[in-house]
């Protein structure tokens, strides 16, 4: 079983369960045209993320890593009219592309995009008294996932969800001896989750059009 099989299954799931959408497609086209890396969540993953936000009845969402705004648009659409999504993106060129796609999708009032490395933009959010966030999606630079998790937990409420993408990374999560800093960070995230009484969490491995990876979901207690 390998990539071709996984991609064919994802293609079928998309065809059957994930309807094409003009504005999401436009966001992908704009990202591709601008040469952004094609590393956004897959359509089936994105739909799950959107369903989690709906299940959660989320009104406030925090996202680390906007890229071209694909997951941003999905999450923002799950919010009620007065909902608010803050998304953090380090790369100013990516952010410009995302801004266009978010506005085209009619979500300019719902989404606030802040440009800069997240660890540098978080203090301002802190000062403004942002949060608590009903759902946080961590999907930026993987070495900082544990740092983003710590901040998200401090800006959550009982019942909040914290989702982290790309925690399995081809199986490196299971390799205690891995020296890859990003892989080590995902193990560190799990240790932090294990020793943290404020949250309960699990990790699901995935295969699909994006290969072998996985995501962590934490429920704040
Ligand atoms: N969530 C997006 C994909 C994000 S890809 C989607 O599924 O549609 C990861 C993004 O994190 C990239 O756009 C990258 O530029 C951004 N990033 C990398 N380092 C960052 C940092 N320190 N702070 C904020 N964003 C960062
Ligand atoms: C990368 C980042 C992601 O968020 C992802 O889902 C896949 C790959 C990357 O930086 O390579
Ligand atoms: Mg990701």
């Amino acid at each position: 079983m390998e990539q071709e099989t996984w991609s064919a299954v994802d293609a079928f799931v998309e065809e059957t369960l994930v309807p094409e959408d003009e504005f999401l497609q436009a966001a992908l086209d704009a990202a591709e045209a601008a040469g952004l890396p094609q590393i956004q969540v897959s359509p089936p993953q994105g739909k799950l993320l959107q369903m989690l936000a709906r299940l959660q009845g989320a009104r406030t969402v925090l996202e680390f890593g906007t890229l071209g705004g694909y997951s941003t648009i999905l999450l923002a659409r799950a919010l009620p009219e007065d909902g608010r999504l803050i998304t953090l993106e380090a790369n100013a060129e990516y952010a410009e592309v995302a801004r266009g796609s978010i506005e085209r999708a009619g979500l300019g009032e719902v989404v606030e995009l802040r440009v800069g490395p997240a660890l540098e933009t978080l203090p301002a959010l802190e000062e403004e008294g942002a949060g608590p966030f009903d759902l946080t999606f961590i999907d930026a630079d993987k070495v900082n996932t544990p740092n983003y998790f710590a901040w998200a937990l401090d800006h959550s409420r009982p019942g909040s969800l914290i989702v982290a993408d790309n925690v399995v990374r081809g199986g490196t999560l299971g390799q205690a001896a891995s020296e890859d800093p990003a892989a080590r960070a995902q193990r560190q995230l799990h240790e932090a989750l294990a020793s943290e009484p404020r949250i309960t969490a699990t990790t699901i491995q995935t295969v699909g059009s994006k290969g072998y990876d996985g995501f962590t979901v934490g429920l704040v207690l």
Side-chain angles (χ1 to χ4, degrees):
M1 292 281 195
E2 59 205 281
Q3 189 55 59
E4 201 183 326
T5 311
W6 306 338
S7 293
V9 170
D10 256 359
F12 177 70
V13 172
E14 282 178 47
E15 266 167 49
T16 51
L17 303 182
V18 190
E20 280 185 27
D21 177 276
E22 180 189 346
F23 295 107
L24 286 171
Q25 190 54 53
L28 293 178
D29 292 346
E32 191 181 352
L36 271 55
Q38 294 179 22
I39 53 176
Q40 67 282 346
V41 290
S42 71
Q45 290 168 343
K47 186 161 176 186
L48 175 63
L49 201 56
Q50 186 173 56
M51 287 166 66
L52 285 175
R54 284 177 63 182
L55 268 166
Q56 176 67 351
R59 309 176 80 83
T60 54
V61 171
L62 174 63
E63 176 178 67
F64 292 86
T66 318
L67 189 64
Y70 184 79
S71 57
T72 313
I73 292 171
L74 281 164
L75 285 168
R77 281 177 171 169
L79 304 183
E81 239 171 76
D82 61 346
R84 199 111 171 88
L85 183 153
I86 298 177
T87 184
L88 310 177
E89 172 54 53
N91 185 306
E93 288 169 31
Y94 297 0
E96 221 31 62
V97 175
R99 216 182 284 285
S101 294
I102 290 162
E103 273 171 23
R104 199 181 309 113
L107 295 163
E109 301 287 298
V110 178
V111 175
E112 187 186 334
L113 173 51
R114 298 203 179 192
V115 182
L119 289 177
E120 291 173 24
T121 51
L122 286 175
L125 277 186
E126 173 81 42
E127 259 174 47
E128 294 162 28
F133 296 97
D134 301 322
L135 186 153
T136 299
F137 180 45
I138 302 175
D139 194 24
D141 49 327
K142 306 311 164 188
V143 288
N144 277 314
T145 294
N147 295 325
Y148 301 151
F149 163 71
W151 200 92
L153 184 59
D154 285 341
H155 298 79
S156 293
R157 47 132 184 115
S160 289
L161 285 183
I162 302 176
V163 180
D165 195 21
N166 313 116
V167 299
V168 174
R169 302 182 56 92
T172 51
L173 184 64
Q175 297 165 7
S178 173
E179 283 175 17
D180 170 29
R184 292 175 70 96
Q186 305 321 306
R187 290 181 64 93
Q188 206 188 313
L189 168 72
H190 283 70
E191 315 272 320
L193 286 163
S195 65
E196 175 53 74
R198 288 177 293 169
I199 193 165
T200 186
T202 192
T203 292
I204 298 298
Q205 305 182 64
T206 56
V207 294
S209 58
K210 292 186 70 183
Y212 170 37
D213 208 327
F215 60 90
T216 298
V217 180
L219 174 63
V220 178
L221 300 171

mmCIF file of all heavy atoms in Angstrom, residues 9-53:
data_model
loop_
_atom_site.group_PDB
_atom_site.id
_atom_site.type_symbol
_atom_site.label_atom_id
_atom_site.label_comp_id
_atom_site.label_asym_id
_atom_site.label_seq_id
_atom_site.Cartn_x
_atom_site.Cartn_y
_atom_site.Cartn_z
ATOM 1 N N VAL A 9 -7.790 6.954 -3.049
ATOM 2 C CA VAL A 9 -8.871 6.946 -2.056
ATOM 3 C C VAL A 9 -9.270 8.385 -1.724
ATOM 4 O O VAL A 9 -10.460 8.716 -1.691
ATOM 5 C CB VAL A 9 -8.465 6.169 -0.782
ATOM 6 C CG1 VAL A 9 -9.493 6.381 0.327
ATOM 7 C CG2 VAL A 9 -8.308 4.685 -1.092
ATOM 8 N N ASP A 10 -8.296 9.240 -1.518
ATOM 9 C CA ASP A 10 -8.618 10.648 -1.239
ATOM 10 C C ASP A 10 -9.404 11.256 -2.407
ATOM 11 O O ASP A 10 -10.356 12.012 -2.195
ATOM 12 C CB ASP A 10 -7.344 11.465 -0.979
ATOM 13 C CG ASP A 10 -7.144 11.766 0.513
ATOM 14 O OD1 ASP A 10 -8.008 11.356 1.326
ATOM 15 O OD2 ASP A 10 -6.141 12.413 0.868
ATOM 16 N N ALA A 11 -8.999 10.922 -3.634
ATOM 17 C CA ALA A 11 -9.705 11.469 -4.812
ATOM 18 C C ALA A 11 -11.165 11.027 -4.794
ATOM 19 O O ALA A 11 -12.072 11.827 -5.063
ATOM 20 C CB ALA A 11 -9.016 11.014 -6.097
ATOM 21 N N PHE A 12 -11.407 9.756 -4.450
ATOM 22 C CA PHE A 12 -12.785 9.252 -4.406
ATOM 23 C C PHE A 12 -13.580 9.926 -3.285
ATOM 24 O O PHE A 12 -14.740 10.311 -3.468
ATOM 25 C CB PHE A 12 -12.803 7.729 -4.233
ATOM 26 C CG PHE A 12 -14.191 7.181 -4.105
ATOM 27 C CD1 PHE A 12 -15.064 7.178 -5.193
ATOM 28 C CD2 PHE A 12 -14.646 6.701 -2.878
ATOM 29 C CE1 PHE A 12 -16.367 6.697 -5.064
ATOM 30 C CE2 PHE A 12 -15.954 6.224 -2.741
ATOM 31 C CZ PHE A 12 -16.808 6.217 -3.834
ATOM 32 N N VAL A 13 -12.960 10.069 -2.124
ATOM 33 C CA VAL A 13 -13.644 10.724 -0.998
ATOM 34 C C VAL A 13 -13.997 12.159 -1.383
ATOM 35 O O VAL A 13 -15.101 12.644 -1.119
ATOM 36 C CB VAL A 13 -12.776 10.673 0.286
ATOM 37 C CG1 VAL A 13 -13.393 11.512 1.396
ATOM 38 C CG2 VAL A 13 -12.578 9.234 0.740
ATOM 39 N N GLU A 14 -13.061 12.833 -2.041
ATOM 40 C CA GLU A 14 -13.334 14.215 -2.485
ATOM 41 C C GLU A 14 -14.513 14.252 -3.456
ATOM 42 O O GLU A 14 -15.424 15.075 -3.307
ATOM 43 C CB GLU A 14 -12.105 14.793 -3.185
ATOM 44 C CG GLU A 14 -11.030 15.242 -2.231
ATOM 45 C CD GLU A 14 -9.826 15.760 -2.998
ATOM 46 O OE1 GLU A 14 -10.015 16.565 -3.944
ATOM 47 O OE2 GLU A 14 -8.704 15.348 -2.668
ATOM 48 N N GLU A 15 -14.453 13.362 -4.451
ATOM 49 C CA GLU A 15 -15.519 13.319 -5.467
ATOM 50 C C GLU A 15 -16.882 13.109 -4.845
ATOM 51 O O GLU A 15 -17.874 13.685 -5.268
ATOM 52 C CB GLU A 15 -15.294 12.111 -6.386
ATOM 53 C CG GLU A 15 -14.521 12.371 -7.640
ATOM 54 C CD GLU A 15 -14.136 11.018 -8.238
ATOM 55 O OE1 GLU A 15 -15.021 10.136 -8.373
ATOM 56 O OE2 GLU A 15 -12.936 10.848 -8.528
ATOM 57 N N THR A 16 -16.933 12.224 -3.847
ATOM 58 C CA THR A 16 -18.231 11.846 -3.299
ATOM 59 C C THR A 16 -18.687 12.773 -2.171
ATOM 60 O O THR A 16 -19.850 13.137 -2.110
ATOM 61 C CB THR A 16 -18.200 10.396 -2.773
ATOM 62 O OG1 THR A 16 -17.077 10.246 -1.894
ATOM 63 C CG2 THR A 16 -18.110 9.410 -3.922
ATOM 64 N N LEU A 17 -17.776 13.152 -1.279
ATOM 65 C CA LEU A 17 -18.197 13.791 -0.024
ATOM 66 C C LEU A 17 -17.769 15.241 0.144
ATOM 67 O O LEU A 17 -18.233 15.919 1.060
ATOM 68 C CB LEU A 17 -17.653 12.989 1.177
ATOM 69 C CG LEU A 17 -18.053 11.518 1.243
ATOM 70 C CD1 LEU A 17 -17.475 10.873 2.498
ATOM 71 C CD2 LEU A 17 -19.579 11.377 1.239
ATOM 72 N N VAL A 18 -16.832 15.696 -0.684
ATOM 73 C CA VAL A 18 -16.327 17.060 -0.489
ATOM 74 C C VAL A 18 -16.597 17.862 -1.759
ATOM 75 O O VAL A 18 -15.779 17.883 -2.678
ATOM 76 C CB VAL A 18 -14.819 17.065 -0.136
ATOM 77 C CG1 VAL A 18 -14.381 18.454 0.299
ATOM 78 C CG2 VAL A 18 -14.496 16.047 0.950
ATOM 79 N N PRO A 19 -17.771 18.490 -1.843
ATOM 80 C CA PRO A 19 -18.149 19.191 -3.067
ATOM 81 C C PRO A 19 -17.132 20.270 -3.439
ATOM 82 O O PRO A 19 -16.533 20.899 -2.569
ATOM 83 C CB PRO A 19 -19.492 19.834 -2.724
ATOM 84 C CG PRO A 19 -19.871 19.388 -1.366
ATOM 85 C CD PRO A 19 -18.742 18.651 -0.751
ATOM 86 N N GLU A 20 -16.961 20.442 -4.749
ATOM 87 C CA GLU A 20 -16.078 21.515 -5.211
ATOM 88 C C GLU A 20 -16.659 22.852 -4.808
ATOM 89 O O GLU A 20 -17.869 23.005 -4.707
ATOM 90 C CB GLU A 20 -15.942 21.445 -6.739
ATOM 91 C CG GLU A 20 -14.936 20.382 -7.138
ATOM 92 C CD GLU A 20 -14.693 20.364 -8.638
ATOM 93 O OE1 GLU A 20 -14.861 21.421 -9.284
ATOM 94 O OE2 GLU A 20 -14.356 19.284 -9.138
ATOM 95 N N ASP A 21 -15.784 23.786 -4.571
ATOM 96 C CA ASP A 21 -16.230 25.085 -4.094
ATOM 97 C C ASP A 21 -15.455 26.171 -4.816
ATOM 98 O O ASP A 21 -14.222 26.163 -4.855
ATOM 99 C CB ASP A 21 -15.971 25.172 -2.586
ATOM 100 C CG ASP A 21 -16.354 26.533 -2.030
ATOM 101 O OD1 ASP A 21 -15.541 27.468 -2.101
ATOM 102 O OD2 ASP A 21 -17.486 26.632 -1.553
ATOM 103 N N GLU A 22 -16.184 27.115 -5.383
ATOM 104 C CA GLU A 22 -15.595 28.169 -6.211
ATOM 105 C C GLU A 22 -14.484 28.930 -5.481
ATOM 106 O O GLU A 22 -13.410 29.174 -6.020
ATOM 107 C CB GLU A 22 -16.732 29.127 -6.605
ATOM 108 C CG GLU A 22 -16.312 30.281 -7.461
ATOM 109 C CD GLU A 22 -17.447 31.300 -7.628
ATOM 110 O OE1 GLU A 22 -18.618 30.962 -7.299
ATOM 111 O OE2 GLU A 22 -17.148 32.421 -8.097
ATOM 112 N N PHE A 23 -14.746 29.324 -4.244
ATOM 113 C CA PHE A 23 -13.788 30.201 -3.555
ATOM 114 C C PHE A 23 -12.589 29.439 -2.991
ATOM 115 O O PHE A 23 -11.487 29.988 -2.931
ATOM 116 C CB PHE A 23 -14.517 31.015 -2.489
ATOM 117 C CG PHE A 23 -15.517 31.948 -3.090
ATOM 118 C CD1 PHE A 23 -16.872 31.699 -2.986
ATOM 119 C CD2 PHE A 23 -15.093 33.050 -3.826
ATOM 120 C CE1 PHE A 23 -17.807 32.545 -3.579
ATOM 121 C CE2 PHE A 23 -16.012 33.905 -4.429
ATOM 122 C CZ PHE A 23 -17.367 33.648 -4.298
ATOM 123 N N LEU A 24 -12.819 28.182 -2.597
ATOM 124 C CA LEU A 24 -11.680 27.376 -2.157
ATOM 125 C C LEU A 24 -10.781 27.067 -3.352
ATOM 126 O O LEU A 24 -9.556 27.117 -3.257
ATOM 127 C CB LEU A 24 -12.164 26.079 -1.510
ATOM 128 C CG LEU A 24 -12.771 26.230 -0.122
ATOM 129 C CD1 LEU A 24 -13.409 24.918 0.325
ATOM 130 C CD2 LEU A 24 -11.715 26.696 0.884
ATOM 131 N N GLN A 25 -11.425 26.755 -4.499
ATOM 132 C CA GLN A 25 -10.643 26.482 -5.708
ATOM 133 C C GLN A 25 -9.878 27.735 -6.125
ATOM 134 O O GLN A 25 -8.710 27.663 -6.500
ATOM 135 C CB GLN A 25 -11.562 25.991 -6.835
ATOM 136 C CG GLN A 25 -10.793 25.455 -8.031
ATOM 137 C CD GLN A 25 -9.775 24.361 -7.658
ATOM 138 O OE1 GLN A 25 -10.134 23.383 -7.016
ATOM 139 N NE2 GLN A 25 -8.499 24.556 -8.035
ATOM 140 N N ALA A 26 -10.516 28.888 -6.028
ATOM 141 C CA ALA A 26 -9.848 30.145 -6.384
ATOM 142 C C ALA A 26 -8.658 30.393 -5.460
ATOM 143 O O ALA A 26 -7.610 30.882 -5.899
ATOM 144 C CB ALA A 26 -10.844 31.302 -6.309
ATOM 145 N N ALA A 27 -8.804 30.038 -4.190
ATOM 146 C CA ALA A 27 -7.694 30.212 -3.242
ATOM 147 C C ALA A 27 -6.525 29.302 -3.621
ATOM 148 O O ALA A 27 -5.359 29.723 -3.591
ATOM 149 C CB ALA A 27 -8.167 29.912 -1.817
ATOM 150 N N LEU A 28 -6.837 28.076 -4.003
ATOM 151 C CA LEU A 28 -5.775 27.145 -4.412
ATOM 152 C C LEU A 28 -5.103 27.622 -5.699
ATOM 153 O O LEU A 28 -3.872 27.553 -5.833
ATOM 154 C CB LEU A 28 -6.341 25.734 -4.605
ATOM 155 C CG LEU A 28 -6.844 25.035 -3.338
ATOM 156 C CD1 LEU A 28 -7.420 23.656 -3.678
ATOM 157 C CD2 LEU A 28 -5.719 24.904 -2.301
ATOM 158 N N ASP A 29 -5.916 28.115 -6.644
ATOM 159 C CA ASP A 29 -5.374 28.609 -7.916
ATOM 160 C C ASP A 29 -4.459 29.815 -7.678
ATOM 161 O O ASP A 29 -3.376 29.905 -8.257
ATOM 162 C CB ASP A 29 -6.505 29.007 -8.872
ATOM 163 C CG ASP A 29 -7.306 27.788 -9.354
ATOM 164 O OD1 ASP A 29 -6.828 26.652 -9.174
ATOM 165 O OD2 ASP A 29 -8.419 27.992 -9.889
ATOM 166 N N ALA A 30 -4.906 30.734 -6.821
ATOM 167 C CA ALA A 30 -4.098 31.933 -6.540
ATOM 168 C C ALA A 30 -2.786 31.540 -5.863
ATOM 169 O O ALA A 30 -1.721 32.094 -6.164
ATOM 170 C CB ALA A 30 -4.886 32.894 -5.651
ATOM 171 N N ALA A 31 -2.858 30.572 -4.963
ATOM 172 C CA ALA A 31 -1.648 30.127 -4.258
ATOM 173 C C ALA A 31 -0.668 29.484 -5.233
ATOM 174 O O ALA A 31 0.533 29.748 -5.196
ATOM 175 C CB ALA A 31 -2.027 29.146 -3.146
ATOM 176 N N GLU A 32 -1.222 28.663 -6.124
ATOM 177 C CA GLU A 32 -0.356 27.989 -7.092
ATOM 178 C C GLU A 32 0.271 29.009 -8.047
ATOM 179 O O GLU A 32 1.470 28.964 -8.325
ATOM 180 C CB GLU A 32 -1.155 26.932 -7.861
ATOM 181 C CG GLU A 32 -0.245 26.022 -8.681
ATOM 182 C CD GLU A 32 -0.996 24.962 -9.475
ATOM 183 O OE1 GLU A 32 -2.230 24.817 -9.293
ATOM 184 O OE2 GLU A 32 -0.328 24.300 -10.297
ATOM 185 N N ALA A 33 -0.545 29.948 -8.511
ATOM 186 C CA ALA A 33 -0.055 30.965 -9.446
ATOM 187 C C ALA A 33 1.061 31.798 -8.816
ATOM 188 O O ALA A 33 1.987 32.235 -9.495
ATOM 189 C CB ALA A 33 -1.211 31.860 -9.891
ATOM 190 N N ALA A 34 0.975 32.009 -7.499
ATOM 191 C CA ALA A 34 1.980 32.823 -6.814
ATOM 192 C C ALA A 34 3.176 31.980 -6.353
ATOM 193 O O ALA A 34 4.106 32.506 -5.744
ATOM 194 C CB ALA A 34 1.336 33.519 -5.611
ATOM 195 N N GLY A 35 3.127 30.683 -6.657
ATOM 196 C CA GLY A 35 4.255 29.814 -6.326
ATOM 197 C C GLY A 35 4.339 29.410 -4.861
ATOM 198 O O GLY A 35 5.412 29.032 -4.370
ATOM 199 N N LEU A 36 3.232 29.475 -4.139
ATOM 200 C CA LEU A 36 3.241 29.022 -2.751
ATOM 201 C C LEU A 36 3.380 27.497 -2.704
ATOM 202 O O LEU A 36 2.905 26.816 -3.611
ATOM 203 C CB LEU A 36 1.927 29.429 -2.055
ATOM 204 C CG LEU A 36 1.893 30.804 -1.392
ATOM 205 C CD1 LEU A 36 2.274 31.914 -2.350
ATOM 206 C CD2 LEU A 36 0.513 31.085 -0.792
ATOM 207 N N PRO A 37 4.007 26.978 -1.660
ATOM 208 C CA PRO A 37 4.093 25.513 -1.552
ATOM 209 C C PRO A 37 2.689 24.912 -1.383
ATOM 210 O O PRO A 37 1.835 25.527 -0.741
ATOM 211 C CB PRO A 37 4.929 25.282 -0.289
ATOM 212 C CG PRO A 37 4.867 26.565 0.473
ATOM 213 C CD PRO A 37 4.650 27.661 -0.526
ATOM 214 N N GLN A 38 2.461 23.754 -1.991
ATOM 215 C CA GLN A 38 1.124 23.139 -1.921
ATOM 216 C C GLN A 38 1.073 22.164 -0.748
ATOM 217 O O GLN A 38 1.117 20.956 -0.929
ATOM 218 C CB GLN A 38 0.794 22.481 -3.255
ATOM 219 C CG GLN A 38 0.660 23.547 -4.334
ATOM 220 C CD GLN A 38 0.360 22.982 -5.716
ATOM 221 O OE1 GLN A 38 -0.137 21.880 -5.859
ATOM 222 N NE2 GLN A 38 0.672 23.749 -6.733
ATOM 223 N N ILE A 39 1.001 22.741 0.432
ATOM 224 C CA ILE A 39 1.047 21.942 1.656
ATOM 225 C C ILE A 39 -0.160 22.199 2.548
ATOM 226 O O ILE A 39 -0.146 21.884 3.730
ATOM 227 C CB ILE A 39 2.362 22.205 2.442
ATOM 228 C CG1 ILE A 39 2.563 23.707 2.689
ATOM 229 C CG2 ILE A 39 3.557 21.626 1.697
ATOM 230 C CD1 ILE A 39 3.774 24.044 3.545
ATOM 231 N N GLN A 40 -1.212 22.811 1.969
ATOM 232 C CA GLN A 40 -2.438 23.032 2.740
ATOM 233 C C GLN A 40 -3.060 21.682 3.109
ATOM 234 O O GLN A 40 -2.770 20.662 2.483
ATOM 235 C CB GLN A 40 -3.449 23.873 1.939
ATOM 236 C CG GLN A 40 -4.032 23.221 0.699
ATOM 237 C CD GLN A 40 -3.101 23.235 -0.500
ATOM 238 O OE1 GLN A 40 -2.103 23.947 -0.542
ATOM 239 N NE2 GLN A 40 -3.428 22.426 -1.499
ATOM 240 N N VAL A 41 -3.926 21.696 4.114
ATOM 241 C CA VAL A 41 -4.651 20.475 4.470
ATOM 242 C C VAL A 41 -5.346 19.935 3.228
ATOM 243 O O VAL A 41 -5.760 20.700 2.348
ATOM 244 C CB VAL A 41 -5.699 20.723 5.587
ATOM 245 C CG1 VAL A 41 -5.034 21.000 6.916
ATOM 246 C CG2 VAL A 41 -6.668 21.851 5.216
ATOM 247 N N SER A 42 -5.480 18.602 3.152
ATOM 248 C CA SER A 42 -6.197 18.012 2.014
ATOM 249 C C SER A 42 -7.687 18.324 2.175
ATOM 250 O O SER A 42 -8.139 18.631 3.282
ATOM 251 C CB SER A 42 -5.979 16.502 1.993
ATOM 252 O OG SER A 42 -6.681 15.907 3.074
ATOM 253 N N PRO A 43 -8.448 18.243 1.085
ATOM 254 C CA PRO A 43 -9.881 18.526 1.212
ATOM 255 C C PRO A 43 -10.585 17.665 2.275
ATOM 256 O O PRO A 43 -11.352 18.205 3.081
ATOM 257 C CB PRO A 43 -10.407 18.297 -0.210
ATOM 258 C CG PRO A 43 -9.227 18.665 -1.081
ATOM 259 C CD PRO A 43 -8.024 18.137 -0.337
ATOM 260 N N PRO A 44 -10.328 16.352 2.347
ATOM 261 C CA PRO A 44 -10.998 15.599 3.422
ATOM 262 C C PRO A 44 -10.563 16.042 4.825
ATOM 263 O O PRO A 44 -11.389 16.120 5.739
ATOM 264 C CB PRO A 44 -10.581 14.143 3.150
ATOM 265 C CG PRO A 44 -10.249 14.117 1.688
ATOM 266 C CD PRO A 44 -9.639 15.460 1.408
ATOM 267 N N GLN A 45 -9.284 16.345 4.990
ATOM 268 C CA GLN A 45 -8.830 16.843 6.297
ATOM 269 C C GLN A 45 -9.469 18.188 6.611
ATOM 270 O O GLN A 45 -9.883 18.449 7.741
ATOM 271 C CB GLN A 45 -7.303 17.028 6.307
ATOM 272 C CG GLN A 45 -6.505 15.739 6.283
ATOM 273 C CD GLN A 45 -5.018 15.980 6.004
ATOM 274 O OE1 GLN A 45 -4.615 17.050 5.528
ATOM 275 N NE2 GLN A 45 -4.205 14.985 6.302
ATOM 276 N N GLY A 46 -9.514 19.043 5.602
ATOM 277 C CA GLY A 46 -10.083 20.372 5.799
ATOM 278 C C GLY A 46 -11.547 20.296 6.198
ATOM 279 O O GLY A 46 -12.020 21.052 7.043
ATOM 280 N N LYS A 47 -12.241 19.322 5.604
ATOM 281 C CA LYS A 47 -13.659 19.184 5.938
ATOM 282 C C LYS A 47 -13.814 18.729 7.384
ATOM 283 O O LYS A 47 -14.702 19.196 8.102
ATOM 284 C CB LYS A 47 -14.356 18.216 4.975
ATOM 285 C CG LYS A 47 -15.849 18.194 5.242
ATOM 286 C CD LYS A 47 -16.643 17.647 4.089
ATOM 287 C CE LYS A 47 -18.122 17.573 4.490
ATOM 288 N NZ LYS A 47 -18.925 16.911 3.462
ATOM 289 N N LEU A 48 -12.940 17.833 7.830
ATOM 290 C CA LEU A 48 -12.984 17.403 9.241
ATOM 291 C C LEU A 48 -12.742 18.594 10.166
ATOM 292 O O LEU A 48 -13.440 18.780 11.168
ATOM 293 C CB LEU A 48 -11.947 16.303 9.511
ATOM 294 C CG LEU A 48 -11.847 15.875 10.988
ATOM 295 C CD1 LEU A 48 -13.157 15.264 11.486
ATOM 296 C CD2 LEU A 48 -10.692 14.900 11.193
ATOM 297 N N LEU A 49 -11.765 19.394 9.807
ATOM 298 C CA LEU A 49 -11.442 20.577 10.617
ATOM 299 C C LEU A 49 -12.670 21.488 10.721
ATOM 300 O O LEU A 49 -13.019 21.992 11.796
ATOM 301 C CB LEU A 49 -10.291 21.294 9.917
ATOM 302 C CG LEU A 49 -9.413 22.249 10.694
ATOM 303 C CD1 LEU A 49 -8.798 21.583 11.912
ATOM 304 C CD2 LEU A 49 -8.291 22.743 9.757
ATOM 305 N N GLN A 50 -13.321 21.685 9.596
ATOM 306 C CA GLN A 50 -14.522 22.520 9.561
ATOM 307 C C GLN A 50 -15.642 21.909 10.401
ATOM 308 O O GLN A 50 -16.330 22.611 11.147
ATOM 309 C CB GLN A 50 -14.979 22.665 8.113
ATOM 310 C CG GLN A 50 -16.127 23.609 7.943
ATOM 311 C CD GLN A 50 -16.414 23.848 6.475
ATOM 312 O OE1 GLN A 50 -16.651 22.887 5.724
ATOM 313 N NE2 GLN A 50 -16.383 25.083 6.051
ATOM 314 N N MET A 51 -15.791 20.591 10.323
ATOM 315 C CA MET A 51 -16.822 19.918 11.119
ATOM 316 C C MET A 51 -16.508 20.011 12.606
ATOM 317 O O MET A 51 -17.427 20.150 13.426
ATOM 318 C CB MET A 51 -16.961 18.459 10.667
ATOM 319 C CG MET A 51 -17.645 18.332 9.322
ATOM 320 S SD MET A 51 -17.466 16.691 8.576
ATOM 321 C CE MET A 51 -18.382 15.707 9.735
ATOM 322 N N LEU A 52 -15.228 19.931 12.956
ATOM 323 C CA LEU A 52 -14.842 20.077 14.376
ATOM 324 C C LEU A 52 -15.227 21.464 14.875
ATOM 325 O O LEU A 52 -15.743 21.612 15.985
ATOM 326 C CB LEU A 52 -13.338 19.855 14.565
ATOM 327 C CG LEU A 52 -12.839 18.417 14.486
ATOM 328 C CD1 LEU A 52 -11.311 18.379 14.565
ATOM 329 C CD2 LEU A 52 -13.456 17.556 15.588
ATOM 330 N N ALA A 53 -14.994 22.473 14.051
ATOM 331 C CA ALA A 53 -15.334 23.841 14.455
ATOM 332 C C ALA A 53 -16.846 23.981 14.634
ATOM 333 O O ALA A 53 -17.318 24.646 15.559
ATOM 334 C CB ALA A 53 -14.817 24.841 13.425
#
